[in-house]
Amino acid sequence: MKKMHRSVAMSIAIALGSWGGLAQAQTTLNVISGGSQNMVDYITDYLGPLFEKQNPGVKVSVVGTGPDDAGSQKMLEKLQAQKSAGVATWDTDVVIPNQQKTGEMVQEGLLMKYRDSIATGKYAVSQSAKQALGVNVDGYVMPMFESQTAIAYNPDLVKNPPSSYDEMRAFVAKNPKAFGYNGLKNGMSGVAFIVGWMYAYGGNPDVVQQGPYDAKNSAGWKKAFADLKTFNQQVVFTPGNAGTLDMLNRGEIAMGPVWVDMFQSWKAEGRLAPNLRLKILSPGMPGQPYYYAIPAKAKNVDLAKKFIALATSPEVQAEGIVKRFNWYPGIDANVVKPALDPKVWNALFVDITPAELAKNGKPFPLAPYFKDLREQYEAQVQN
């Protein structure tokens, strides 16, 4: 009986030891993502399984908090709460916030500097990898992707498309109702067009983009808004981002501002005529990245770095970011190009080259300037 008890005890010990080994081998990398559902799906369906395959025993768990500032604010508040509570190790390993909230996280000491410690850090060459709406985030972030607005146009109707806001104004004056956009409240592509207008005509665009904030700078916007009100009398207002593309595809307008990734996705799905093309107006139109960042007291720092290094590798940026989602890569496009089929590269960069994107792709304004812009538009332009 004693031998039997000893044998049973040993079996139980072995079983418990096996379970303990499994428990130790299974590590969960906790990721919180802002943005739309497609960003969560990207990690769930593609990036997460790829990382798990390369790192046996690791499970990637991702939770989405939603788009825009509100979604990223949720993850900021989660990190704030753990910092305030004095928690030694936080339960989030990677966060993917927007520009505005990333800057706030850095200012509040919620993120760690890590970029120089990963191999792909040298590929973060964009201005947005250094500045997030006026806040120095250099070293704290790797852009997941770069989204960008541009003017979509029908070359059958527009032989020589405008290349600047000045040329756009002249075109619209000669061709009323050929241009359409969704204004200030019906989608961000319309907001982006207005922001670009203010960069062209409002004065001090670098200060508006990078700071510091001074209300005197936005006090001189009256003429720019008065000219925009005149311009708006000659255009068609569309019902939204998708509405602009629909009207463009039906020939109801000849051009209008769009998100490049949405435009390319619709084209790939056959929802847009294949001849439609893109152009960024100078002196610039805004876009916005989402960032990969690591909380200051993440539990699995080494795995988090490894995850972000994979996510920002040329091969993954080519397959996941460009090919699957039609976003611009978050890293230097020139190192992504060799990993892409030439047809995919040409589809994304034939109209807007990496050099043009670097020159005319701009950030959105600092939050207080953005607030001033919205309020003044509604008071001075909107009927």
Side-chain angles (χ1 to χ4, degrees), residues 47 158 230:
L47 185 59
V158 185
T230 300

Side-chain angles (χ1 to χ4, degrees), residues 185-199:
K185 293 187 175 180
N186 291 320
M188 285 301 292
S189 62
V191 175
F193 178 80
I194 295 168
V195 168
W197 181 285
M198 298 310 296
Y199 289 166

Side-chain angles (χ1 to χ4, degrees), residues 40-275:
V40 178
D41 294 341
Y42 172 69
I43 296 172
T44 301
D45 300 338
Y46 172 68
L47 185 59
L50 181 62
F51 188 73
E52 291 169 358
K53 184 177 180 180
Q54 295 182 7
N55 297 273
V58 175
K59 173 68 178 176
V60 177
S61 175
V62 59
V63 175
T65 55
D68 303 323
D69 285 351
S72 295
Q73 176 68 22
K74 292 177 183 177
M75 66 181 79
L76 184 153
E77 290 173 355
K78 179 179 176 64
L79 299 183
Q80 279 178 328
Q82 295 190 53
K83 180 181 179 182
S84 298
V87 178
T89 304
W90 301 350
D91 61 5
T92 304
D93 300 305
V94 177
V95 290
I96 309 176
N98 71 356
Q99 278 190 302
Q100 179 66 38
K101 298 303 172 181
T102 299
E104 293 178 23
M105 289 180 192
V106 169
Q107 289 175 322
E108 295 191 24
L110 299 175
L111 303 179
M112 70 168 57
K113 266 194 173 185
Y114 73 92
R115 195 179 69 214
D116 290 344
S117 65
I118 64 174
T120 57
K122 60 189 176 185
Y123 300 141
V125 296
S126 66
Q127 181 62 28
S128 63
K130 301 173 184 177
Q131 293 278 330
L133 304 184
V135 178
N136 183 353
V137 296
D138 199 10
Y140 291 92
V141 302
M142 286 289 290
M144 176 183 183
F145 62 84
E146 297 280 353
S147 62
Q148 180 61 46
T149 54
I151 300 298
Y153 68 96
N154 185 333
D156 294 338
L157 302 176
V158 185
K159 301 301 182 183
N160 297 300
S163 60
S164 68
Y165 273 88
D166 285 346
E167 291 179 10
M168 176 63 78
R169 293 175 70 177
F171 173 87
V172 168
K174 293 179 181 178
N175 302 275
K177 308 303 181 183
F179 176 87
Y181 80 113
N182 48 344
L184 189 76
K185 293 187 175 180
N186 291 320
M188 285 301 292
S189 62
V191 175
F193 178 80
I194 295 168
V195 168
W197 181 285
M198 298 310 296
Y199 289 166
Y201 304 117
N204 300 313
D206 291 339
V207 175
V208 172
Q209 294 165 38
Q210 305 297 338
Y213 175 72
D214 187 335
K216 293 178 181 178
N217 290 319
S218 53
W221 288 350
K222 288 184 178 180
K223 185 179 187 308
F225 278 124
D227 290 343
L228 182 57
K229 185 170 185 176
T230 300
F231 177 87
N232 280 353
Q233 294 170 0
Q234 303 166 316
V235 310
V236 175
F237 282 98
T238 67
N241 295 329
T244 301
L245 288 171
D246 279 331
M247 294 183 74
L248 185 69
N249 193 52
R250 292 194 297 265
E252 295 173 16
I253 56 175
M255 66 173 71
V258 300
W259 286 102
V260 172
D261 59 297
M262 188 176 184
F263 174 88
Q264 297 288 10
S265 293
W266 279 38
K267 245 188 165 183
E269 294 164 6
R271 299 169 66 182
L272 288 180
N275 67 318

